Amino acid sequence: MKEFVIVTDTTTDLPREYVEKHHLYMMSLPYTLEGTSYTWENPMPVKEFYDKMRAGSLPTTSQANPEEAATLYESILKENDVDILHIAFSSGLSGSFNSCRIAAADVCEKYPDRRIVVVDSLAATLGQGLLVYKAVQLKEAGKNLDEIAVWLEENKYHLVHNFTVDDLFHLHRGGRLSKTAAIVGTMINLKPVLHVDDEGHLVMLSKVRGRKKSLIGLVDCMEKQLGDWKDKNDIIFISHGDCPEDAQFVADLIKERFGYENFMIGYIGATIGAHSGPGTVALFYMGDHR
């Protein structure tokens, strides 16, 4: 089998050092803030990004288009005699997956001896990152492109994404919540717990009053969803919108309740953070069902 490389998107929110260590290629989904556009190659420091959001700046984001995807694929194929496995941002949240699928077909016409396999992760932030992490593990264990693609397709519906937000305004701005619900919810300190469903869409799981209850609610959901995967998870991923103490609170509760010791905790990047806002905490692991 031909050698292959793994491509993914900046929406994975994987640490830059992890990306570089494992020789991953990044499809950059750009964002704009205060008139300046930023990419993977030219990012705004994430702490500064959230500080600006808290001060009232409203970022905008863009999906990858077929031309950008084709440019990335061709740059890889020109320099390397490899195939490509692209683990893409959820089709339920962006048109980027479809752009990549179109680009892959076009580029493969120019390079008929190469293959580009694009997998719809149906995932976001470190949920997508966890699938990439699993793919890297499998590659380093000697699995080929097809074996990894099959594993991803068979197991992505076991990838659980649960998260809570601190500011309902951002859900309203993204069309996930009505203005009235955002205002009333803010008045009574309502905190929703949401997840990403089998179609890759955001769906409300529950509503609680108070921040601490919403964080505990993430772990309560975990208890219901782990099932047969309880002893199979080797790592738990947690991402946050500039609230590391809250993310650590969730990790500590998980350690206490389930005994897990291995975590990756990191920032929600700007592309996702533009829609979820400061104070978001998201929890990712493999479970019986989403």
Side-chain angles (χ1 to χ4, degrees), residues 46-176:
V46 68
K47 185 77 169 63
E48 181 182 347
F49 171 81
Y50 282 110
D51 286 343
K52 286 182 177 294
M53 283 195 78
R54 288 190 178 100
S57 294
L58 298 178
T60 58
T61 60
S62 303
Q63 67 185 42
N65 62 48
E67 292 76 19
E68 291 166 337
T71 297
L72 175 61
Y73 294 154
E74 288 201 58
S75 71
I76 295 169
L77 299 184
K78 285 176 182 177
E79 294 181 4
N80 307 277
D81 183 21
V82 294
D83 292 331
I84 293 173
L85 172 62
H86 186 161
I87 304 169
F89 184 33
S90 172
S91 63
L93 297 173
S94 169
S96 294
F97 164 73
N98 195 49
S99 293
C100 293
R101 189 178 55 79
I102 292 168
D106 290 343
V107 171
C108 285
E109 287 187 4
K110 297 181 184 179
Y111 296 84
D113 61 333
R114 310 290 185 86
R115 298 175 63 219
I116 303 174
V117 177
V118 185
V119 174
D120 181 0
S121 71
L122 297 175
T125 186
L126 280 180
Q128 184 182 358
L130 182 52
L131 282 183
V132 174
Y133 177 91
K134 295 292 187 183
V136 168
Q137 280 187 321
L138 291 168
K139 184 182 180 189
E140 292 179 350
K143 301 297 183 183
N144 63 41
L145 187 156
D146 289 320
E147 289 171 323
I148 296 172
V150 167
W151 189 95
L152 292 170
E153 292 292 352
E154 289 179 346
N155 288 279
K156 64 186 181 182
Y157 296 102
H158 292 290
L159 175 60
V160 182
H161 307 56
N162 290 335
F163 68 101
T164 186
V165 301
D166 195 40
D167 187 342
L168 299 178
F169 165 74
H170 298 290
L171 289 182
H172 162 62
R173 191 165 69 90
R176 309 291 177 183

Side-chain angles (χ1 to χ4, degrees), residues 183-207:
I183 292 171
V184 172
T186 300
M187 289 174 62
I188 63 173
N189 199 25
L190 193 69
K191 305 296 181 185
V193 176
L194 306 97
H195 81 130
V196 177
D197 68 10
D198 285 351
E199 285 74 48
H201 300 124
L202 302 185
V203 178
M204 192 84 69
L205 279 178
S206 64
K207 303 173 188 176

